[in-house]
Amino acid sequence: MGQEEKIVYKIIEESGNKGIWVKEIRTRSNLQLTQLNKVLKTLEGRKSIKSVKPVNDSKKKVYMLYDIKPDTSLTGGAWYSENDFESEFVDILGRQTLTFLQKQRSHAEVQHADPLTSQRHMMCDIKKVKNFISQLGISKVELEDTEVEQILESLVYDGFV
């Protein structure tokens, strides 16, 4: 790896999973744009780095190390596919989660006559909901706890639970 490649690699490495814009790499490396583009292309060809188009600005690219998973602020997380919001996927997950919660409640009410015991058994945590969604097999990616929490919050905000 040449000196310029090492400098650019180090700058990109420091950016972590948030990535770094070409303009910032250029400023920090003091390379001309044509030279920087050549270095970036070489590093991408070696699979040392990759470019990611953020969902909030798909005209620009950020660079990060090849083996790093981009931050969800860049990709939009599970709710986005190729920079498009997957509203149908979110709706299906919401409906399925609501059905699961309703079944939990019904089961708890039937099994336990005591209201306090019944209420304690109808509650479930994020892990339980996440496991249910995983078993459905409708998500191509494993949802993070925060994403499952977003589903549950949307059900609360919409007045379903």
Side-chain angles (χ1 to χ4, degrees):
M1 201 182 284
Q3 188 64 25
E4 293 170 340
E5 292 168 359
K6 286 179 184 177
I7 291 168
V8 171
Y9 183 87
K10 181 83 171 137
I11 291 168
I12 294 171
E13 182 179 39
E14 290 169 358
S15 72
N17 67 346
K18 299 259 187 200
I20 187 167
W21 306 101
V22 172
K23 185 176 180 181
E24 181 67 19
I25 298 171
R26 187 172 170 210
T27 301
R28 291 180 56 192
S29 69
N30 292 320
L31 292 174
Q32 294 295 323
L33 186 58
T34 53
Q35 185 61 28
L36 176 57
N37 285 336
K38 188 175 166 185
V39 169
L40 291 171
K41 191 171 185 168
T42 300
L43 290 172
E44 279 187 290
R46 290 184 188 150
K47 297 198 184 292
S48 298
I49 64 168
K50 64 183 172 188
S51 64
V52 176
K53 290 184 178 181
V55 293
N56 61 355
D57 191 353
S58 62
K59 293 179 181 144
K60 293 184 178 180
K61 289 192 273 187
V62 296
Y63 288 89
M64 64 183 59
L65 295 186
Y66 187 81
D67 57 349
I68 290 183
K69 180 181 176 187
D71 187 84
T72 55
S73 65
L74 295 174
T75 64
W79 316 138
Y80 284 80
S81 175
E82 297 178 19
N83 289 7
D84 292 325
F85 181 67
E86 295 289 337
S87 61
E88 187 176 336
F89 174 60
V90 173
D91 289 342
I92 290 169
L93 283 176
R95 286 194 305 269
Q96 291 296 325
T97 301
L98 180 59
T99 301
F100 171 72
L101 294 174
Q102 290 168 337
K103 285 181 182 177
Q104 284 284 115
R105 180 181 183 152
S106 296
H107 181 71
E109 289 172 344
V110 167
Q111 294 292 335
H112 307 282
D114 174 45
L116 291 175
T117 306
S118 175
Q119 188 173 24
R120 192 171 60 245
H121 281 86
M122 71 175 69
M123 291 186 189
C124 58
D125 61 8
I126 289 175
K127 259 186 187 171
K128 206 171 191 179
V129 176
K130 186 177 174 179
N131 187 41
F132 167 76
I133 291 171
S134 177
Q135 288 176 351
L136 285 176
I138 57 176
S139 179
K140 295 175 194 165
V141 295
E142 184 178 337
L143 298 178
E144 301 291 331
D145 288 355
T146 55
E147 292 165 332
V148 174
E149 191 174 326
Q150 289 170 346
I151 294 168
L152 293 169
E153 286 173 352
S154 72
L155 292 172
V156 171
Y157 295 144
D158 291 341
F160 292 115
V161 290

